Amino acid sequence: MTQELTKANINLYAVLRNLEDLCELDKDMKTLIKDISMRIKFVVKNGPKGYLSFEDGTCTFSKILDKCNIILYFKSPHHFNQMIDGKANPIPLKGLTKISFLKNEFITLTDKLSYYLKPTPSLLENETYLKNNTILTAYTAFFALAQVGNTDPIGKLSAKRIPDGIINVSITESNTGIHLIAKNGHLKAKKGLSSNNRASMTFSDIITTNKILTGQIDTYSCIATQKLQMKGYIPMLDNMNKLLGLVSSYLQ
């Protein structure tokens, strides 16, 4: 149950959340939603809740529930995970007249997200694809890291060892920034960098970031060549890296 809950939290708060970044990075997806005004609420019994809002050519994700056009209900975290894997359908509680959006534009968006999050060696040879894949992978990994630290049994042990404070994570070459807030063993990930951080992890470029996040090179060799810089209160970074090592098992 706990692993299903962790996976459901990751699928909503780390994977589907990425649609807002996809619509910024990919011109075709930005064009696809430019005239769409739609809000989809996801409600998972005993699991995560949140909504995606498409408005004025942008997509935003929020945990704060508000008025919506469509409500998709799931009987359990397992049911939601099955839907993400394409093995189950949601239960629509509202918005039956908007089903065409779910079957057309929304499917196109999620298919394009999968395209970027499931790379092949030939796709990664394309510079634009590599950049988009790396940025979306980084967002997925660090937002998922917070969910692993909050609900996975082993992850909670590492999260409790992270001293209170904020860790900034950034990719210099792409202006991508995320900050992880640790407080009393609970973790929260947010986009952007904080000016009040206690520690930081800075990737120098896209290629280095991609290779570290996909396990092709180790962090220590990158630190030696200064392609990865870690500064500040090191115990925060040590325990965050242990959590990062658990994330891949949920994203396979």
Side-chain angles (χ1 to χ4, degrees):
M1 175 62 185
T2 301
Q3 290 182 342
E4 287 286 353
L5 175 60
T6 302
K7 188 175 180 179
N9 288 341
I10 289 172
N11 278 330
L12 185 57
Y13 297 146
V15 178
L16 276 184
R17 190 217 62 81
N18 261 336
L19 289 179
E20 66 177 44
D21 301 300
L22 173 73
C23 293
E24 291 180 6
L25 293 168
D26 188 293
K27 292 181 180 177
D28 291 339
M29 297 303 100
K30 191 175 183 67
T31 300
L32 181 71
I33 65 165
K34 68 182 179 66
D35 297 320
I36 291 176
S37 177
M38 192 74 68
R39 288 182 176 184
I40 309 173
K41 183 187 291 185
F42 297 86
V43 180
V44 182
K45 185 178 180 181
N46 299 322
K49 298 176 178 61
Y51 73 84
L52 283 165
S53 176
F54 299 89
E55 202 76 49
D56 299 325
T58 64
C59 172
T60 56
F61 177 81
S62 175
K63 292 183 181 180
I64 302 172
L65 302 183
D66 202 346
K67 294 179 181 178
C68 59
N69 309 98
I70 299 172
I71 298 177
L72 300 180
Y73 176 75
F74 301 87
K75 295 181 289 185
S76 65
H78 177 70
H79 181 200
F80 182 64
N81 295 331
Q82 289 283 295
M83 189 277 288
I84 294 294
D85 292 337
K87 299 176 181 176
N89 293 316
I91 301 171
L93 298 184
K94 179 181 179 181
L96 288 176
T97 59
K98 311 291 184 183
I99 290 297
S100 62
F101 169 76
L102 295 175
K103 291 184 176 179
N104 295 293
E105 289 92 344
F106 190 70
I107 288 292
T108 301
L109 289 166
T110 54
D111 285 349
K112 198 60 175 287
L113 184 60
S114 294
Y115 165 77
Y116 280 119
L117 291 179
K118 296 179 179 178
T120 65
S122 60
L123 285 171
L124 289 171
E125 291 176 1
N126 180 286
E127 186 176 343
T128 300
Y129 180 90
L130 173 65
K131 180 180 178 180
N132 291 346
N133 164 261
T134 302
I135 292 172
L136 293 171
T137 300
Y139 279 132
T140 301
F142 286 97
F143 274 88
L145 183 150
Q147 302 308 321
V148 172
N150 291 337
T151 54
D152 179 87
I154 298 174
K156 289 168 73 172
L157 296 175
S158 292
K160 289 179 180 177
R161 295 189 184 106
I162 299 179
D164 286 359
I166 297 173
I167 303 171
N168 277 342
V169 179
S170 60
I171 306 172
T172 302
E173 193 177 27
S174 70
N175 293 321
T176 300
I178 307 157
H179 62 281
L180 188 74
I181 304 167
K183 187 174 183 179
N184 299 325
H186 183 83
L187 303 178
K188 181 184 294 184
K190 289 188 173 183
K191 287 173 66 177
L193 299 179
S194 170
S195 59
N196 192 35
N197 62 302
R198 292 185 73 186
S200 65
M201 173 186 284
T202 305
F203 299 91
S204 64
D205 55 70
I206 291 292
I207 292 177
T208 298
T209 309
N210 193 284
K211 288 186 175 180
I212 290 177
L213 292 178
T214 56
Q216 297 179 60
I217 52 177
D218 67 89
T219 56
Y220 296 107
S221 63
C222 293
I223 291 172
T225 57
Q226 296 191 328
K227 290 188 173 183
L228 176 64
Q229 293 188 351
M230 294 188 183
K231 295 181 179 179
Y233 196 39
I234 296 303
M236 298 183 77
L237 296 166
D238 279 346
N239 286 295
M240 183 185 76
N241 282 330
K242 290 175 183 175
L243 271 175
L244 194 57
L246 297 175
V247 169
S248 60
S249 63
Y250 281 101
L251 295 175
Q252 292 175 349

